Amino acid sequence: MILIEVFVYAGIIAASISGTLVGIQKKLDLFGVVFLAACTALGGGLIRDIILGQSVPNVFVKPQYFIVSTVISILTWLFYQRTLQFQTTLILTDAIGLGVFTAVGAYSAIDHGLKGAFLIVSMGLITGIGGGIMRDVFAREIPLVFQKEIYAIAAIVGSVSILLTNEIFSKLSSLYICFVITTLIRIIAVRYKVNFPIRNVNDKSFNME
């Protein structure tokens, strides 16, 4: 269980950096930047816990999650220019964050004794991409997950892998497999620029009115 907590903190750190960078680019003040970082880091888990019927979501039970997010956000804000020099590292941390949250989300559903495949995969997906969607909505952007990026698919495949391996290996081992698969898919997609096709609409004759 200690290793799972390490994974969770790694995901929070990665997501907080991502949220902070978006907040700075949108010219938010420090409070707005910290808030956006917290939404990115904790939003997916919050939605997951509400859906699972947890009386008090973990984000409120464990304030250390918010404290870590805030500290990382402020440090990123203070050293913004230096942070931008590590683009490859930022891409890697983003992929790790997706892998961590997807694995923890799917694992939490299984740990709650839930059996439905669709529900388990949904919890992995929501936990993996929920924070990023909240970040983009608050930043008044179309969420990245809806813009050709191989992001949600990585979370779905990872969540499916935890279903397939849970009966073969221990729950903990299946969690690590989910993390590795999700992270690798995301890294490969970014590295080789693998994206979903976008429909180019050149015909202006169609009118919704």
Side-chain angles (χ1 to χ4, degrees):
M1 296 301 291
I2 294 177
L3 194 53
I4 294 177
E5 281 293 301
V6 172
F7 270 44
V8 170
Y9 282 113
I12 290 172
I13 291 170
S16 297
I17 293 173
S18 170
T20 301
L21 293 178
V22 171
I24 292 172
Q25 290 162 4
K26 288 293 181 178
K27 299 181 179 179
L28 303 183
D29 63 15
L30 182 57
F31 176 81
V33 168
V34 170
F35 177 81
L36 203 62
C39 286
T40 309
L42 309 174
L46 175 63
I47 297 171
R48 178 202 65 224
D49 291 344
I50 291 173
I51 294 175
L52 291 178
Q54 193 163 316
S55 57
V56 182
N58 277 332
V59 62
F60 301 118
V61 175
K62 299 181 177 180
Q64 59 267 34
Y65 290 169
F66 176 74
I67 293 171
V68 170
S69 175
T70 300
V71 170
I72 294 299
S73 180
I74 292 174
L75 289 175
T76 304
W77 185 79
L78 288 172
F79 301 103
Y80 173 65
Q81 295 298 333
R82 185 171 297 180
T83 303
L84 291 180
Q85 297 174 7
F86 301 96
Q87 289 294 332
T88 302
T89 303
L90 293 176
I91 292 172
L92 179 61
T93 56
D94 177 69
I96 290 173
L98 177 65
V100 166
F101 290 138
T102 298
V104 170
Y107 178 88
S108 295
I110 293 174
D111 202 41
H112 273 73
L114 303 177
K115 300 295 184 181
F118 181 76
L119 180 56
I120 292 171
V121 172
S122 295
M123 291 303 97
L125 177 63
I126 288 171
T127 311
I129 70 174
I133 291 177
M134 290 179 65
R135 174 200 65 206
D136 294 340
V137 168
F138 281 124
R140 300 180 66 182
E141 294 282 350
I142 296 175
L144 180 66
V145 67
F146 301 142
Q147 300 184 68
K148 76 181 182 180
E149 295 279 349
I150 304 296
Y151 211 89
I153 291 298
I156 291 172
V157 173
S159 298
V160 169
S161 74
I162 206 171
L163 279 173
L164 298 176
T165 59
N166 183 51
E167 299 298 327
I168 303 173
F169 305 104
S170 67
K171 285 192 295 185
L172 203 56
S173 296
S174 63
L175 178 142
Y176 299 144
I177 292 171
C178 175
F179 162 72
V180 170
I181 289 176
T182 306
T183 303
L184 282 178
I185 290 175
R186 177 59 184 160
I187 291 174
I188 291 170
V190 173
R191 174 64 179 82
Y192 295 101
K193 296 181 173 60
V194 180
N195 297 311
F196 278 117
I198 295 178
R199 184 70 172 182
N200 291 319
V201 182
N202 296 319
D203 185 1
K204 304 296 184 180
S205 62
F206 180 74
N207 194 330
M208 290 292 289
E209 296 180 359

